[in-house]
Amino acid sequence: MELRLAHEKDIDQLIKMRWDFTLEDYPEMGEGTEYSTFEKECGDFLEEAIGSGEWFIWIAENDSRIVSHIYIELLKKVPRPGRITNPFAYMTNVYTVPEYRGQRVGSKLLFKVNEWAAEMKYEFIIVWPSESSIEFYGRNGYTHCKEPMEKHFR
């Protein structure tokens, strides 16, 4: 199993995984949606993200197949006098294909991401876990923080 950052050659697999991940949890989202339309939008996003230096897509690959991924977006903070201002990381789109779950693939990938974030001196990683993933993050050293506030526009 290889743990690494995604490259452009991985985009087709990442698109399909995003599609599968979404429909696994929200099957209704696929109704009336053409895969080709999603494929174009997601492909454009991934192409830009991979080369941006602001998004980092970590993957676990087994025999040329991506079996797990974690997306990280860096968020820069406004500098403060008297301290070095490091960005923090927003983690999203954490997914392991069903047949690899329960084999610690996701935990190994998350450990690699945590190691990388510490080496890069990011201030912290934030994630909004689903109810079903709270235990996974807890096992991997994540703790609850106060809920952020939000304003919806739709």
Side-chain angles (χ1 to χ4, degrees):
M1 182 87 48
E2 182 181 4
L3 308 178
R4 64 173 176 83
L5 285 168
H7 305 292
E8 282 194 19
K9 70 178 180 68
D10 301 314
I11 288 176
D12 288 341
Q13 285 189 72
L14 292 169
I15 294 168
K16 180 69 167 85
M17 289 177 77
R18 180 64 176 166
W19 177 267
D20 293 344
F21 177 25
T22 301
L23 297 188
E24 182 179 324
D25 290 337
Y26 307 100
E28 69 280 2
M29 291 184 83
E31 295 171 13
T33 303
E34 293 290 327
Y35 183 79
S36 59
T37 303
F38 170 75
E39 182 178 36
K40 169 81 171 96
E41 180 184 11
C42 192
D44 289 347
F45 168 82
L46 288 168
E47 218 171 273
E48 183 178 329
I50 287 172
S52 72
E54 293 177 11
W55 280 94
F56 298 87
I57 302 167
W58 284 89
I59 64 170
E61 183 179 51
N62 190 34
D63 293 328
S64 300
R65 178 182 178 210
I66 301 172
V67 298
S68 187
H69 57 60
I70 296 174
Y71 287 51
I72 298 287
E73 181 183 20
L74 294 185
L75 299 169
K76 296 177 183 169
K77 295 169 50 181
V78 178
R80 285 196 181 273
R83 67 182 271 223
I84 295 173
T85 307
N86 294 321
F88 68 92
Y90 166 63
M91 184 183 337
T92 188
N93 200 32
V94 177
Y95 179 69
T96 299
V97 297
E99 60 268 30
Y100 280 84
R101 293 179 191 160
Q103 299 177 34
R104 301 207 30 86
V105 173
S107 290
K108 289 175 187 172
L109 187 57
L110 184 56
F111 181 83
K112 180 73 171 173
V113 168
N114 291 340
E115 232 179 19
W116 166 79
E119 286 172 17
M120 300 300 289
K121 299 186 179 1
Y122 299 141
E123 192 162 332
F124 59 87
I125 298 175
I126 191 166
V127 62
W128 276 271
S130 64
E131 284 296 319
S132 62
S133 65
I134 290 172
E135 184 182 328
F136 167 75
Y137 291 109
R139 281 193 318 263
N140 287 286
Y142 284 70
T143 59
H144 280 283
C145 59
K146 288 187 176 183
E147 291 295 317
M149 295 176 75
E150 64 186 5
K151 176 161 179 55
H152 290 266
F153 295 100
R154 290 189 204 207

